[in-house]
């Protein structure tokens, strides 16, 4: 995925050691220099929207072209920078930019709390899920850890060259690939990861919700992978 101008993407998420388990924004908070960057690093909800913006920016470039994506990003970043450290102003600028990217074709959705906070009600967003449950909304990220690394048949990942790879997490999540994912081979059981939901299956039969796609970042290796939660999407074999 391409980076938002002035902002790194999810693979660059690596906070200071004392905050290694916190879900941070899409950029490295150790290098935060401007007031708006510092404010985002200190707020879980602004961080969540920053990660969502990185995904939306990448999708916009694929759908509407690099020029339109970059132009929108520059305007949005300028609006955010003008906020300084005002978190309410930053929140508004982030929501406006996400909606701009949506209008340009990005297939992302604002979290429900962000939709509420942008209205007249001004509801306080709920605390981000640090308990490690599975994310339920596109753009939402949670912290968890690797519980098991196997082939897609739940055998030794190195047993065969053509049996794919899979990973299971402490929060009950799973990702699977027909290929040998080097990022999984380089990972270890117990590694802390940031797990983000990036796509939901559409038009699924009742009770079949297979096919959710997650981008996961290993906070030890800084490697990321984007994989589905099953070998087949909903309605498949």
């Amino acid at each position: 995925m391409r980076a938002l101008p002035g902002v790194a993407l999810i693979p660059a998420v690596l906070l200071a050691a004392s905050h290694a388990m916190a879900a941070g924004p899409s950029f490295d908070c150790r290098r935060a220099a401007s007031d708006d960057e510092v404010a985002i690093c200190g707020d879980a909800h602004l961080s969540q929207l920053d990660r969502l913006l990185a995904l939306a920016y990448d999708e916009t470039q694929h759908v509407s072209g690099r020029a339109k994506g970059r132009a929108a990003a520059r305007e949005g970043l300028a609006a955010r920078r003008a906020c300084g450290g005002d978190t309410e102003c930053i929140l508004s600028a982030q929501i406006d930019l996400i909606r701009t990217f949506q209008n340009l074709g990005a297939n992302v959705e604002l979290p429900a709390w962000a939709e509420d906070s942008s209205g007249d009600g001004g509801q306080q967003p709920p605390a981000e899920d640090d308990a490690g449950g599975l994310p339920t909304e596109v753009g939402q990220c949670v912290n968890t850890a690797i519980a098991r690394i196997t082939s897609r048949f739940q055998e030794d990942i190195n047993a065969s060259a053509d049996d794919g790879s899979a990973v299971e997490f402490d929060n009950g999540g799973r990702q699977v690939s027909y290929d040998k994912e080097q990022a999984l081979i380089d990972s270890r059981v117990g590694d802390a990861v940031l797990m983000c939901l990036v796509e939901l299956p559409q038009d699924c039969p009742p009770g079949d919700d297979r096919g959710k796609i997650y981008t996961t970042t290993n906070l030890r290796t800084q490697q990321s992978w984007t994989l589905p939660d099953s070998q087949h999407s909903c309605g498949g074999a």
Side-chain angles (χ1 to χ4, degrees), residues 7 21 39 51 54 58 67 75 82 84 88 94 100-101 109 111 113 123 134 159 174 176 183 206 229:
V7 180
M21 287 299 294
R51 295 191 302 268
D58 186 59
E75 291 182 10
E88 290 187 7
Q94 288 177 313
T100 297
F101 285 147
E109 296 181 6
W113 65 259
Q123 297 182 17
L134 283 169
R174 184 171 188 264
V176 63
D229 62 359

Side-chain angles (χ1 to χ4, degrees), residues 149 157 165-167 175 181-188 225 227:
I149 302 170
I157 192 172
S165 50
V167 58
Q175 291 176 282
E181 301 292 337
Q182 188 62 46
L184 294 184
I185 295 172
D186 293 341
S187 295
R188 303 171 186 164
W225 56 90
L227 295 170

Side-chain angles (χ1 to χ4, degrees), residues 10-94:
I10 287 175
V13 173
L14 183 64
L15 307 186
S18 61
H19 298 287
M21 287 299 294
S26 67
F27 57 89
D28 189 341
C29 282
R30 294 173 300 179
R31 299 182 179 179
S34 60
D35 290 341
D36 59 313
E37 289 177 345
V38 172
I40 291 171
C41 288
D43 189 293
H45 305 102
L46 299 183
S47 291
Q48 182 182 352
L49 289 187
D50 184 80
R51 295 191 302 268
L52 182 57
L53 272 166
L55 296 172
Y57 172 67
D58 186 59
E59 289 187 357
T60 297
Q61 288 199 108
H62 281 92
V63 175
S64 295
R66 181 175 298 183
K68 288 185 178 180
R70 286 183 175 273
R74 281 194 295 269
E75 291 182 10
L77 186 60
R80 193 192 80 188
R81 285 279 161 81
C83 292
D86 186 333
T87 56
E88 290 187 7
C89 178
I90 294 171
L91 174 63
S92 178
Q94 288 177 313

